[in-house]
Amino acid sequence: MRRLDNFDLHNHSTASDGLLTPTQLLELGARNGAQAMALTDHDTVDGLEEAGEAARRLGVLFVGGVEISVSWGETTVHVVGLGIDPGSAVLDDGLRSVRDGRLGRARLMAQALEKLGMPGTLEAALALAGREDRLSRTHFARHLAETGAVRDAQQAFDKYLGKGKPAFVQHQWAGLEEAMGWILGSGGIAVLAHPGRYGLKPLGRATLLEEFKRLGGEAIEVVTGSHRPEEYATWRRVAEEYGFLASRGADFHGLGESPVEPGRLPPLPASLVPVWTRWAH
Ligand code: AMP
Ligand code: MN
Ligand code: MN
Ligand code: MN
């Protein structure tokens, strides 16, 4: 039997800031040869039911997931929960509290953009997001690209929305310990998402990894569309050093927006133990 190795455990849909519906996302991953896929929308499990149905129809193993926004000091980090129970009350309450902060922050971003000469962005971003508690910087970035204020969504982050840029709004997300409690309390495995994206210096990085591990974190993403391929070796060594399981996921948001399609990443380095050994062989 062919070993299951095309697991893609980090992807977004229209339930958060992705461009494809859960069904379209699963169809794309299946076309690309993914054998197992997780949907990990930001701070919501809304898309899991639809994604699970599509996966069953397509013969893809489905892993229910979520990507939780966490404030760790001044740094925003993302923790993915895999294999969570979407019906868990502790998880549901926690995620709702995080989503409830999104509208207020979006208002402040829109005010900053208005001062920079770009009015009406709250309404436009909301039209793209479909729901107030889903509003993300991605929706603002897409709107700015549509109006021609920037060349593409990436440039909107580089010029206005990224950390330290003029429309960036510091925000209080979930605490790390809180988010870990929601994931573990709903039967999930906690995975530190794209650790290369946080711009941490060596000491901060070690502190985060140790704290994450102490709180029950089991895995880190090594091969992800949010790491450059030349970074994979760094995070392979970190996984080995700390004894973390390794995860693999495209962090796909949409065609033309994300560097890698679901199911199309290179395999995990052979020396690592994949996180999916926790529930599949
Ligand atoms: P939010 O949760 O509203 O702060 O939005 C975070 C999302 O914005 C991430 O999940 C990415 O999809 C996107 N994002 C964040 N930083 C960047 C960046 N520098 N370039 C492109 N997309 C980004
Ligand atoms: Mn996103
Ligand atoms: Mn993320
Ligand atoms: Mn993501």
Side-chain angles (χ1 to χ4, degrees):
M1 196 178 84
R2 183 149 101 86
R3 203 167 78 89
L4 280 173
D5 60 5
N6 195 348
F7 276 62
D8 195 314
L9 301 179
H10 186 152
N11 287 289
H12 296 273
S13 77
T14 46
S16 65
D17 62 348
L19 287 169
L20 300 184
T21 64
T23 301
Q24 292 169 331
L25 174 76
L26 268 287
E27 286 172 350
L28 178 60
R31 266 205 305 284
N32 288 338
Q35 295 158 307
M37 283 181 71
L39 180 65
T40 54
D41 275 310
H42 297 287
D43 311 313
T44 183
V45 294
D46 270 1
L48 296 188
E49 194 175 320
E50 180 186 325
E53 277 168 27
R56 266 193 298 284
R57 177 169 57 76
L58 295 160
V60 170
L61 184 64
F62 183 67
V63 179
V66 65
E67 180 176 23
I68 305 183
S69 312
V70 166
S71 292
W72 188 72
E74 299 266 282
T75 307
T76 298
V77 304
H78 286 170
V79 180
V80 163
L82 294 177
I84 44 97
D85 167 11
S88 155
V90 62
L91 179 65
D92 189 51
D93 290 349
L95 296 180
R96 183 173 313 110
S97 73
V98 178
R99 290 197 306 272
D100 281 349
R102 285 190 172 272
L103 176 60
R105 166 184 179 255
R107 285 205 177 98
L108 297 174
M109 287 196 287
Q111 278 170 20
L113 289 167
E114 179 150 15
K115 288 203 184 99
L116 293 162
M118 291 162 274
T121 58
L122 181 66
E123 296 70 21
L126 182 55
L128 295 177
R131 270 174 68 141
E132 292 176 345
D133 68 353
R134 213 184 262 160
L135 275 166
S136 91
R137 286 185 288 163
T138 313
H139 301 110
F140 283 87
R142 287 181 188 140
H143 165 65
L144 295 179
E146 276 176 8
T147 61
V150 290
R151 190 175 58 235
D152 54 22
Q154 181 59 55
Q155 196 184 39
F157 280 94
D158 297 343
K159 263 180 100 168
Y160 301 117
L161 300 166
K163 188 169 183 180
K165 303 299 174 188
F168 178 79
V169 173
Q170 190 68 40
H171 185 70
Q172 199 59 40
W173 301 105
L176 181 60
E177 186 162 5
E178 237 181 345
M180 298 295 286
W182 303 337
I183 293 170
L184 302 186
S186 60
I189 296 168
V191 183
L192 186 64
H194 43 63
R197 282 281 293 268
Y198 307 133
L200 292 168
K201 298 196 179 72
L203 181 60
R205 177 172 111 178
T207 309
L208 173 62
L209 292 165
E210 279 156 22
E211 200 172 323
F212 174 70
K213 187 158 194 175
R214 180 173 57 75
L215 293 170
E218 288 191 60
I220 66 170
E221 290 182 348
V222 173
V223 173
T224 152
S226 287
H227 285 165
R228 284 172 285 114
E230 56 272 27
E231 291 178 285
Y232 296 164
T234 302
W235 298 102
R236 169 180 61 74
R237 282 192 295 271
V238 168
E240 287 166 352
E241 183 187 338
Y242 286 80
F244 284 123
L245 302 171
S247 193
R248 170 182 186 267
D251 201 2
F252 180 79
H253 287 72
L255 296 167
E257 231 178 60
S258 301
V260 190
E261 289 186 25
R264 286 260 164 104
L265 284 165
L268 283 176
S271 64
L272 297 178
V273 183
V275 66
W276 54 85
T277 56
R278 290 283 270 101
W279 66 84
H281 302 280

